[in-house]
Amino acid sequence: PGAAQLTANRIGDAALRQKVAILSRDADAALLAVPGFDAEPAIQALLRHCAREHPDAIRIDAHGRVTAMHLGWSLDGMVFSGNGPADVGQCLAAISAPWRLTALLCLAFAEDFAVIEAIGGRIPWMAVCLPSQWVPRDKLGLEFTQVHAPVADNQTLLAAGDHLARLVTGEPRWERFVWTITRAASLDNHPLRVPKQEWPTEHQADARQLAAAAFWRTERQTFIPLPELGQALFTIHVQVEPLAQAVSMATQARALHAALGSMSQAVLDYRGLTPARDRLLQWLEERAASGGVAFISSPAP
């Protein structure tokens, strides 16, 4: 109770820059809804949540005008106005009318959003700009078990699908965290927009060079329950930082070493970590033994 679920964007933030670029050139791949689905109640609930949790970022006046304070742009009906950055204004103005409020909220916050239904966990609506190696359009309209079918070692997860969907659409608020180690530095990791970067071979990079070229990617996922609608708003906050920066203490290195070492072959393959696993484990051992002292190394070519 009381924990913030959203993160306000400010001018210059990486999430804002990348979201502006994506919504400017590829909005149809990010803003998605099942035909006939009425998302307006959920969008209005999201708007109220944003304004209540971050009154410094979102303001709604007595006439219903919505202002993204940090961005310098407002939506009055279907019309945008303001004196914020021109690229943000141009991006918003190009969005089709039914999606304009959603686009404003997408840019005002670092999170991506989706609606999950209590019955079956279907996902009928998405505003996802920064996916982690998945295509939002491919998941639209699918139920929980279908969405997670490709996940490695998923038997327990799939068996609990109906229960989890009911759980996250009830009154309590839930959060979960996922992580991986990747070569991709971009928050946007849509497989059709961002080419997959292969790990360098052992001849190209030793353990320290590999770690210097690796990034720690995390998602904080939360659920804003809408029990009166039989839905929840799913939020996804992606963060990426250099691995050597993220793992700065020996305790972190030991914990990550244990987690990486416990992964099955199926999970390693699913996350694309098989070619890097042994060298990452070696680097983590060295980092743990050194007490977390940073290694100076150049990225692999």
Side-chain angles (χ1 to χ4, degrees), residues 42-240:
I43 296 169
Q44 290 298 322
L46 176 60
L47 172 62
R48 293 191 297 271
H49 182 94
C50 292
R52 182 170 60 250
E53 185 175 289
H54 291 275
D56 62 322
I58 291 291
R59 183 178 65 195
I60 310 170
D61 69 16
H63 303 289
R65 179 188 178 96
V66 180
T67 300
M69 307 293 287
H70 300 324
L71 305 187
W73 290 95
S74 298
L75 177 63
D76 190 356
M78 289 292 108
V79 179
F80 283 109
S81 62
N83 58 2
D87 61 337
V88 175
Q90 291 164 2
C91 170
L92 292 169
I95 297 294
S96 62
W99 287 100
R100 285 180 181 168
L101 177 56
T102 297
L104 183 66
L105 297 178
C106 277
L107 297 185
F109 293 92
E111 284 75 13
D112 282 334
F113 307 107
V115 168
I116 298 177
E117 295 178 330
I119 305 302
R122 187 179 74 131
I123 302 177
W125 180 93
M126 294 186 197
V128 176
C129 297
L130 309 174
S132 298
Q133 275 298 304
W134 57 282
V135 178
R137 187 174 296 281
D138 291 348
K139 307 297 184 182
L140 183 68
L142 299 186
E143 296 187 353
F144 180 93
T145 53
Q146 296 170 310
V147 169
H148 291 88
V151 176
D153 293 351
N154 61 6
Q155 295 84 356
T156 301
L157 179 66
L158 298 185
D162 288 343
H163 173 70
L164 290 173
R166 292 193 298 272
L167 192 71
V168 301
T169 53
E171 289 290 349
R173 296 174 184 267
W174 296 87
E175 70 177 350
R176 67 187 294 264
F177 297 86
V178 297
W179 62 269
T180 194
I181 302 169
T182 177
R183 284 292 315 277
S186 172
L187 294 173
D188 174 27
N189 209 2
H190 192 300
L192 302 181
R193 286 194 297 259
V194 181
K196 184 178 180 180
Q197 298 186 51
E198 301 294 340
W199 292 102
T201 67
E202 293 183 7
H203 296 294
Q204 295 172 321
D206 62 19
R208 294 187 183 185
Q209 291 171 324
L210 182 85
F215 294 86
W216 172 250
R217 184 182 183 93
T218 63
E219 292 183 7
R220 181 199 181 212
Q221 304 172 354
T222 81
F223 301 85
I224 301 171
L226 306 174
E228 69 282 2
L229 300 175
Q231 301 169 352
L233 282 159
F234 180 47
T235 77
I236 310 169
H237 183 195
V238 177
Q239 292 180 287
V240 179

